[in-house]
Amino acid sequence: MSFIKSHQSHIAVIVVISLVSLGAAYAALQTFSPGLAHDPTRELYVDLNNAFATHWKARSGVDINVGLAQSKSGKPIRAVLDGLNITTLALSYDVDRLRETNRFIAPAWNPTLPQNMARSSLYASPYTSTIVFLVRKGNPKKLIDWDDLLRPEIEVVTPNPKISDGGRWNYLAAWGYALRQPGGGEAAALEFVTKLFANIRSPATADFVERDIGDVLLLWENEAHLLIRQTSAEGTDKFEIITPSMSIVAEPTVSVVNAVADRNGAREVAAAYIDYLYTPQAQDIVGKHYYRPRDAQASAKYASQFPSLELFTIDEVVGGWQQAQKVHFARGGIFERIQGN
């Protein structure tokens, strides 16, 4: 997103949202356009940007316009790694990618810190989300947990992990669940996920939502809430959310591109924006958009829409995204073998 001071030259500060699977967010590459495709993350940051502009005006007396920088390319991190000459904030699920280049200052998050820490330098993830089940209203197939998705008559809808980030998160959520069951291990997880993917009816969300194909859709918690809100507004009210006993957690890491922050004179604004994400006001906006806030007060306010569950990280499941790609999703990896079966 770009920050433009009203009485000075343009300062380009882009928020590159690399957490593509949390709403199909787009990267900043060529264009600053408000008219690109709808996605939930975009709506979140429109509200955050407007709120930050008000906050910055009250703090500094300077009017700024904060706009989303988007591109249809869908290549978020590459925009920066390829040398885009802007100051950048990056929200990424892959911290290793951020640290492959010295352009980034990637704060190290200490997971033992209290969840109401306001300083992003201490707490590097402003919100989280997780994978849940979207089922037909009334849950006619009585789907409660991951084990239920293995029943032979159940039809599951999830994107293909080979070509979809969302599909990979769904796959790893199921894999992590299987690992944590009594007697769980790599062999048990392989058998579990193989059975789950044998029940895949379609990779397309539209098939589930618009064509009534499948019994359960695996997707992000925030997207599930948005689909329910949308269908309720249309008068159909045909879905409900099932939160499993455990699932994977996504924790986007906030970073600043170091190489051009000082040259563009935007480091103060970029740092202030990051800090603002952890304020009670911003955390309330996060909750309104169905992401799980970090702030204790905001978490309590929105507790009814976020049932408790056991959460595990991708590091705990497979040792991080690089290892996940190498072991599970690369050519010849575990998922290809599951497809072959």
Side-chain angles (χ1 to χ4, degrees), residues 14 16 26-30 71 73-86 88 97 103-104 257:
I14 308 299
V16 178
Y26 294 95
L29 286 177
Q30 295 94 2
S71 168
S73 77
K75 298 288 187 181
I77 286 296
R78 292 308 312 175
V80 178
L81 299 184
D82 288 344
L84 193 61
N85 189 26
I86 53 175
T88 304
R97 288 295 302 279
R103 290 196 184 101
F104 286 99
V257 175

Side-chain angles (χ1 to χ4, degrees), residues 265-288:
R267 183 178 296 277
E268 181 184 3
V269 181
Y273 187 94
I274 291 177
D275 280 343
Y276 181 74
L277 294 177
Y278 300 83
T279 64
Q281 295 82 4
Q283 289 288 291
D284 185 69
I285 294 171
V286 164
K288 286 179 181 177

Side-chain angles (χ1 to χ4, degrees), residues 8 25 32 67 83 85 121 131 173 197 218 239 247 263 269-270 291 297:
Q8 295 183 9
F32 289 66
N85 189 26
S121 59
I131 301 299
F197 275 81
L218 305 183
F239 303 122
S247 193
R263 182 168 69 247
V269 181
Y291 295 93
Q297 184 175 349

